[in-house]
Amino acid sequence: MSKQSTTPQFDFFHDYIVQLLVQNGYNLSDNLQKEFVPQFVAHAEVRIGAALLPLLKPDAADKMQKLLNNSKTTARDWANFWSESVPKYEEVVKTALQDFAVEVEGILAGMKKAK
C-alpha cells in the first residue's frame, strides 16, 4: 500500500486509519485509500484538537500563535508544544483516538449492515 505523505504526523494518522479499516474488514485499494483515508485523518485531527484545546495551559497562547505564524513549524515542533502545554497530553490523545476508533467502528458496522 503506497501513501503520499508529507509529515510524520500524517504518516501516523494514515497508518492508524488504515489499520482501523483493516481490523473492521475494509482492506482498501490504493485508490480508495487516497480518496477516503485523508477524510478520516482530518476527522481524527479535529477530534484530537477538540480534546486538547480546552486543556491548554494559560500561558500557551503566545507560543501557539508563534507556531501558527511560522511557515517553518514542523510536526516535531507541534508535538513538543502539545506535550509541554497540555497536562497528560499522551493520555488525552490516546483517549481521543480510542473514542474515534469506536465511532469509526460503529459507522463501518452500520455500512456492513446496509449492504
Side-chain angles (χ1 to χ4, degrees), residues 21 24-26 28 32 36 40 103-115:
L21 291 170
N24 284 279
Y26 291 90
L28 303 179
L32 287 175
F36 291 107
F40 281 115
E103 181 181 332
V104 169
E105 289 169 358
I107 291 168
L108 295 175
M111 290 173 55
K112 285 183 179 178
K113 288 180 184 177
K115 284 185 178 180

Side-chain angles (χ1 to χ4, degrees), residues 53-91:
L53 283 173
L55 303 175
L56 278 174
K57 293 178 181 175
D59 62 346
D62 288 337
K63 187 170 183 178
M64 184 177 199
Q65 187 64 40
K66 288 177 185 174
L67 290 171
L68 287 169
N69 290 332
N70 184 349
S71 63
K72 295 182 181 188
T73 299
T74 66
R76 171 61 37 215
D77 295 333
W78 279 112
N80 290 339
F81 167 77
W82 288 114
S83 65
E84 294 168 3
S85 302
V86 175
K88 299 182 182 182
Y89 162 75
E90 290 182 13
E91 287 179 39

Side-chain angles (χ1 to χ4, degrees), residues 4-106:
Q4 296 179 1
S5 60
T6 57
T7 67
Q9 182 180 18
F10 184 84
D11 286 346
F12 167 76
F13 284 130
H14 180 279
D15 294 346
Y16 179 81
I17 300 300
V18 169
Q19 181 183 18
L20 185 59
L21 291 170
V22 169
Q23 288 173 349
N24 284 279
Y26 291 90
N27 194 3
L28 303 179
S29 68
D30 285 347
N31 285 339
L32 287 175
Q33 278 189 35
K34 287 177 188 175
E35 184 177 347
F36 291 107
V37 172
Q39 294 173 47
F40 281 115
V41 167
H43 187 67
E45 289 174 339
V46 168
R47 291 284 297 263
I48 291 170
L52 292 173
L53 283 173
L55 303 175
L56 278 174
K57 293 178 181 175
D59 62 346
D62 288 337
K63 187 170 183 178
M64 184 177 199
Q65 187 64 40
K66 288 177 185 174
L67 290 171
L68 287 169
N69 290 332
N70 184 349
S71 63
K72 295 182 181 188
T73 299
T74 66
R76 171 61 37 215
D77 295 333
W78 279 112
N80 290 339
F81 167 77
W82 288 114
S83 65
E84 294 168 3
S85 302
V86 175
K88 299 182 182 182
Y89 162 75
E90 290 182 13
E91 287 179 39
V92 173
V93 171
K94 183 178 177 181
T95 299
L97 285 174
Q98 288 170 339
D99 293 346
F100 173 75
V102 169
E103 181 181 332
V104 169
E105 289 169 358

